[in-house]
């Protein structure tokens, strides 16, 4: 037998060429597909980074966040950090009181940030994180809920600069974002129920409790109603409810501000209906607010009118109905906790975005949302910058105060004034981190804040009403304080001059130094 030529064992001819071409084409195609996937991921990351940068422009363009409550919160953080520092007089008047309170999350975050950066920078960083967290949490919730449409993220970003954020209620804004993130984590747990995922969900829910109590309650309502409307087994419903038992038990123990004050204040139905529309979209421009509200109304019409592809997502619609009912039944205030009912309004707006599938009409809705968001960011940046510039004189006034002085703020604000134009009310509190001064009106509500003013200097209660109808005890003020920070209280100028000298004046501000 002749031995076969070695060349006959090779693949030659047309069949070999076709096989070689198929293999090479497959490798090239796979490499090209991998390259396209890599480029798509890079482009996606760049798009997300660009979107985040655009959302942060109002904060980045502002030297100092002009927010109503922010100076008070930052002063509390500074005092907590320097309670035992002998360079300051804080230990004479304040003491720390940490506990399992449902509002200490922001304090803990700001304390941690202030150790690695200036306090003012820490405030901007925390504020920026809350701005980004809300649309990010909605994106996470959409993904876990299996909703492919990402249009609700753009609408949710409108609430990143809503009224509560612009007032400086950063703890609630962070809690609102954590609320929807926790709902997404619960859906993640439901995908593969198990002890490890349940414990991870519990950790997120408890973080939400420590950030803001009302956001914790909203999240509990959403998850429980969603579980019931989805017809989960009773075992699954019970385990979902157990996530909120530790937080509820802690609240029952500390009882926050209602332990000392049991007063309940009811809001009228007309105000309820008006605020339901105003609160989520209230900003620095009345025209801008009106455009946003009409734009949202137009989006509802586009989504509903004659849309055969419209589908209602029952669990989210049921949760929305429950939140709206709760909003109308809740009081305006309970004890020292105010605007309880209004906190449900932004959450209800986000649930409205999840309650329906608009089909192909989501594309024009996304275009309208992008336009509304662009206008909102421009207005917010201009408004924050304008109000920050209005406080330039007050910044200079803070520098005129002696170190470790005792400062009494007396601030008058007109009743008809927009709440977003009241950035000056707590501004005197900046004398604490900048001059080491003592100011008596720091938030020290038992069961909420980890700071107590004990013993505290006597101070007129009229500050909390922002209206001084009667003269305070001038003799007591002369004995206890070194400065009087008087904002728009010129009717007391002659009384103040009897024992104090005006050392600085700008706009509505008069700074008096007590004669010794």
């Amino acid at each position: 037998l002749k031995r076969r030529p070695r060349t006959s064992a090779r693949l030659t001819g047309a069949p070999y060429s076709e096989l070689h071409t198929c293999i090479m084409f497959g490798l090239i195609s796979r490499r090209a597909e991998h390259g396209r996937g890599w480029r798509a991921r890079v482009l996606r990351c760049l798009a997300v980074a660009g979107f985040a940068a655009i959302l942060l422009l109002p904060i980045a363009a502002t030297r100092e966040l002009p927010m109503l409550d922010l100076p008070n919160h930052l002063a509390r953080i500074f005092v907590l950090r320097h309670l035992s520092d002998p360079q300051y007089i804080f230990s004479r008047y304040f003491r720390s009181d940490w506990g399992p309170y449902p509002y200490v999350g922001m304090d803990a975050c700001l304390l941690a940030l202030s150790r690695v950066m200036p306090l003012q920078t820490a405030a901007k960083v925390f504020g920026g994180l809350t701005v980004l967290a809300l649309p990010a949490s909605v994106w996470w919730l959409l993904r876990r809920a299996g909703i492919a449409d990402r249009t609700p993220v753009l609408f949710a970003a409108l609430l990143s600069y809503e009224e509560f954020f612009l007032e400086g209620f950063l703890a609630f804004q962070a809690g609102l974002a954590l609320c929807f993130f926790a709902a997404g984590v619960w859906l993640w747990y439901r995908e593969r129920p198990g002890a490890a995922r349940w414990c991870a969900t519990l950790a997120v829910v408890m973080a939400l409790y420590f950030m803001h109590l009302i956001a914790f309650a909203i999240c509990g309502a959403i998850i429980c109603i969603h579980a019931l409307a989805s017809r989960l087994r009773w075992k699954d419903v019970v385990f979902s409810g157990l996530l909120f038992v530790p937080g509820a038990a802690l609240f029952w123990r500390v009882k926050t501000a209602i332990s000392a004050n049991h007063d309940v204040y009811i809001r009228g139905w007309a105000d309820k209906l008006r605020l339901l529309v105003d609160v989520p979209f209230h900003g620095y421009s009345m025209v801008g607010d009106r455009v946003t509200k009409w734009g949202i109304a137009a989006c509802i019409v586009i989504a509903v009118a004659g849309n055969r592809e419209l589908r209602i997502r029952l669990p989210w619609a049921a949760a929305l109905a429950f939140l709206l009912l709760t909003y109308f039944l809740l009081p305006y205030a309970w004890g020292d906790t105010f605007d309880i009912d209004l906190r449900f309004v932004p959450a209800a707006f986000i649930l409205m975005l999840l309650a329906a599938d608009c089909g192909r009409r989501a594309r024009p809705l996304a275009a309208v949302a992008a336009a509304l968001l662009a206008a909102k960011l421009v207005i917010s940046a201009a408004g924050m910058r304008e109000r920050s510039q209005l406080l330039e004189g007050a910044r200079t006034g803070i520098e005129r105060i002696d170190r470790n002085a005792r400062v009494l703020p007396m601030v008058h604000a007109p009743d008809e004034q927009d709440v977003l134009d009241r950035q000056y009310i707590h501004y005197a509190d900046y004398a604490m981190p900048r001059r080491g001064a003592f100011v008596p009106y720091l938030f020290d509500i038992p069961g909420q804040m980890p700071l107590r003013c004990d013993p505290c200097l006597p101070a007129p209660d009229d500050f909390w009403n922002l209206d001084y109808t009667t003269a305070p005890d001038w003799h007591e003020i002369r004995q206890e304080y070194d400065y009087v920070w008087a904002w728009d209280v010129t009717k007391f100028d002659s009384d103040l001059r009897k024992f104090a000298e005006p050392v600085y004046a700008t706009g509505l501000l008069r700074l008096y130094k007590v004669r010794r």
Side-chain angles (χ1 to χ4, degrees):
L1 296 176
K2 294 185 178 179
R3 191 175 182 181
R4 289 185 178 180
R6 296 180 62 183
T7 55
S8 64
R10 298 174 184 173
L11 295 174
T12 59
Y16 167 75
S17 301
E18 292 176 4
L19 179 61
H20 182 268
T21 302
C22 291
I23 293 174
M24 293 301 297
F25 180 76
L27 291 175
I28 293 173
S29 299
R30 184 177 299 177
R31 188 173 300 172
E33 183 180 350
H34 176 74
R36 285 195 298 271
W38 180 81
R39 285 192 296 270
R41 285 193 293 271
V42 170
L43 291 175
R44 193 180 300 116
C45 291
L46 290 176
V48 171
F51 182 64
I54 292 173
L55 284 181
L56 293 176
L57 280 178
I59 293 179
T62 306
R63 174 184 174 184
E64 184 179 80
L65 298 180
M67 297 175 172
L68 171 61
D69 280 359
L70 186 60
N72 200 301
H73 293 311
L74 296 184
R76 183 176 68 254
I77 300 304
F78 188 83
V79 170
L80 286 169
R81 275 208 63 194
H82 297 277
L83 264 178
S84 57
D85 192 334
Q87 298 182 27
Y88 301 98
I89 61 173
F90 301 142
S91 60
R92 301 182 195 174
Y93 310 105
F94 297 102
R95 63 179 177 87
S96 61
D97 182 26
W98 290 94
Y101 308 140
Y103 297 93
V104 298
M106 185 180 75
D107 288 28
C109 292
L110 285 175
L111 274 171
L113 290 172
S114 66
R115 294 183 181 279
V116 296
M117 63 184 70
L119 186 58
Q120 198 70 45
T121 305
K124 296 184 75 171
V125 169
F126 186 78
L129 290 175
T130 63
V131 165
L132 299 179
L134 187 56
S137 65
V138 173
W139 173 86
W140 162 256
L141 180 58
L142 292 171
R143 183 176 181 182
R144 298 270 58 96
I147 300 175
D149 180 25
R150 297 295 185 259
T151 304
V153 174
L154 293 174
F155 283 105
L158 283 172
L159 302 189
S160 292
Y161 288 94
E162 47 94 18
E163 180 176 316
F164 290 117
F165 175 82
L166 297 177
E167 285 186 74
F169 299 171
L170 300 184
F172 173 72
Q173 197 72 8
L176 188 64
L178 266 176
C179 167
F180 290 103
F181 178 74
V185 174
W186 175 74
L187 291 177
W188 168 77
Y189 153 69
R190 290 296 314 142
E191 292 171 6
R192 284 206 312 272
R197 292 201 174 197
W198 188 89
C199 291
T201 309
L202 175 64
V204 176
V205 169
M206 289 307 299
L208 173 59
Y209 165 83
F210 287 114
M211 184 59 69
H212 203 279
L213 179 63
I214 299 178
F216 171 80
I218 293 172
C219 183
I222 291 174
I223 287 179
C224 290
I225 296 300
H226 190 286
L228 292 173
S230 301
R231 298 182 180 180
L232 298 181
R233 296 177 303 172
W234 281 107
K235 178 182 177 181
D236 297 328
V237 174
V238 169
F239 273 99
S240 299
L242 286 176
L243 293 168
F244 298 89
V245 171
L250 287 177
F251 167 68
W252 183 257
R253 178 176 178 272
V254 300
K255 293 186 179 178
T256 66
I258 66 174
S259 58
N261 186 351
H262 303 281
D263 295 336
V264 175
Y265 304 91
I266 306 298
R267 196 189 303 274
W269 291 103
D271 288 339
K272 290 267 191 181
L273 291 172
R274 176 180 58 84
L275 293 172
L276 183 63
V277 179
D278 288 347
V279 167
F281 314 116
H282 183 37
Y284 290 126
S285 169
M286 293 180 62
V287 175
D289 296 349
R290 207 171 290 124
V291 169
T292 301
K293 285 184 281 190
W294 281 109
I296 297 297
C299 288
I300 294 175
V301 172
I302 293 172
V304 174
N307 187 1
R308 296 183 178 181
E309 297 179 355
L310 183 68
R311 298 292 182 271
I312 301 298
R313 302 185 180 106
L314 180 60
W316 300 113
L320 169 62
F322 183 83
L323 287 196
L324 290 176
L325 178 63
T326 305
Y327 164 72
F328 282 106
L329 295 179
L330 276 176
Y332 155 66
W334 184 8
D336 291 327
T337 302
F338 297 90
D339 289 336
I340 298 174
D341 53 348
L342 296 185
R343 312 301 174 106
F344 283 71
V345 176
F349 174 74
I350 292 177
L351 284 181
M352 183 184 70
L353 304 174
L354 304 176
D357 180 5
C358 303
R360 284 173 291 184
R361 294 194 184 183
R363 290 186 178 181
L365 294 180
V368 176
L372 293 176
L373 179 59
K376 182 75 170 180
L377 294 176
V378 171
I379 292 172
S380 298
M384 293 176 73
R385 188 166 56 251
E386 177 186 356
R387 283 153 183 77
S388 180
Q389 291 171 353
L390 291 174
L391 294 171
E392 285 290 346
R395 291 190 196 96
T396 305
I398 293 290
E399 300 304 320
R400 300 294 180 90
I401 297 173
D402 294 335
R403 295 194 63 82
N404 292 330
R406 296 164 299 176
V407 181
L408 175 68
M410 295 180 64
V411 179
H412 173 264
D415 291 337
E416 67 277 6
Q417 188 179 41
D418 193 316
V419 68
L420 298 185
D421 292 327
R422 294 184 169 188
Q423 67 278 355
Y424 56 86
I425 289 177
H426 292 290
Y427 197 84
D429 295 339
Y430 276 134
M432 304 186 82
R434 296 176 186 175
R435 307 302 296 165
F438 166 83
V439 182
Y441 296 115
L442 288 196
F443 298 142
D444 62 344
I445 303 173
Q448 291 190 16
M449 284 77 179
L451 185 70
R452 299 289 171 270
C453 192
D454 183 18
C456 208
L457 293 182
D461 288 337
D462 291 323
F463 176 84
W464 301 112
N465 301 323
L466 301 174
D467 186 18
Y468 293 80
T469 56
T470 59
D473 187 340
W474 298 119
H475 177 73
E476 189 176 65
I477 292 174
R478 179 178 184 179
Q479 294 297 320
E480 301 292 351
Y481 292 94
D482 303 306
Y483 288 88
V484 176
W485 177 280
W487 191 289
D488 197 16
V489 286
T490 52
K491 63 181 179 180
F492 295 140
D493 182 69
S494 59
D495 295 324
L496 287 165
R497 286 177 182 268
K498 293 177 181 178
F499 62 91
E501 293 289 338
V503 295
Y504 181 74
T506 176
L508 299 176
L509 172 64
R510 300 291 184 272
L511 181 65
Y512 298 87
K513 184 175 182 179
V514 177
R515 290 190 292 269
R516 299 299 180 192

